[in-house]
């Protein structure tokens, strides 16, 4: 079972940037679709971005144009570059496979707080 460790979160002002990292315990070559999710207090976890091994990407409308997902399979790492951050981006961010049926393990996530 894949395990994921998220890092890179922190406190940033509106308009600022952060880059999140997701380290996987298993080969990412075997996980075609990787994804970032986030969960704000009192809200459901939502899909933020996905990326396939072939480099195809998709984003939630709320982050499109501001966030960029990427992956380095050799490093077993997935990234989320977040620019032009807004307070509404405040949440705990998680990475996992984008295939729901394979989401057996969730990491601790990394907290992103956008506030002045």
């Amino acid at each position: 079972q894949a395990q994921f460790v998220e890092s890179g979160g922190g406190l940033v002002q509106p308009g600022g940037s952060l880059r999140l990292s997701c380290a996987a315990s298993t080969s990412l070559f075997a996980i075609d679709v990787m994804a970032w999710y986030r969960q704000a207090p009192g809200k459901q976890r939502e899909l933020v971005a996905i990326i396939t091994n072939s480099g195809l990407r998709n984003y939630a409308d709320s982050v499109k144009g501001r966030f960029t997902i990427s992956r380095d399979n050799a490093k077993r790492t997935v990234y989320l570059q977040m620019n032009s951050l807004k307070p509404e981006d405040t949440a705990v961010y998680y990475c996992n496979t984008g295939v729901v049926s394979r989401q057996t393990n969730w990491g601790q996530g990394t907290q992103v707080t956008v506030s002045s």
Side-chain angles (χ1 to χ4, degrees):
Q1 294 181 314
Q3 294 180 331
F4 307 99
V5 179
E6 301 91 347
S7 63
L11 174 64
V12 64
Q13 294 184 351
S17 298
L18 284 172
R19 188 181 71 164
L20 307 184
S21 296
C22 169
S25 64
T26 61
S27 174
L28 288 181
F29 290 105
I31 308 177
D32 184 53
V33 185
M34 283 296 299
W36 282 96
Y37 297 82
R38 67 186 182 188
Q39 186 168 27
K43 301 292 182 65
Q44 294 236 213
R45 183 171 55 234
E46 65 173 334
L47 186 281
V48 175
I50 61 172
I51 184 169
T52 69
N53 269 320
S54 62
L56 297 178
R57 298 170 171 87
N58 203 3
Y59 302 90
D61 287 342
S62 60
V63 308
K64 193 170 300 182
R66 300 187 297 118
F67 290 11
T68 303
I69 187 171
S70 61
R71 63 194 290 170
D72 186 335
N73 285 2
K75 294 182 178 180
R76 294 184 176 180
T77 304
V78 182
Y79 305 95
L80 185 68
Q81 178 66 47
M82 306 185 295
N83 299 325
S84 302
L85 283 162
K86 304 174 180 180
E88 63 192 40
D89 296 317
T90 296
V92 178
Y93 284 70
Y94 303 89
C95 63
N96 212 318
T97 173
V99 180
V100 175
S101 64
R102 295 184 178 180
Q103 294 173 344
T104 57
N105 297 307
W106 293 89
Q108 300 278 41
T110 186
Q111 176 72 50
V112 172
T113 302
V114 185
S115 176
S116 59

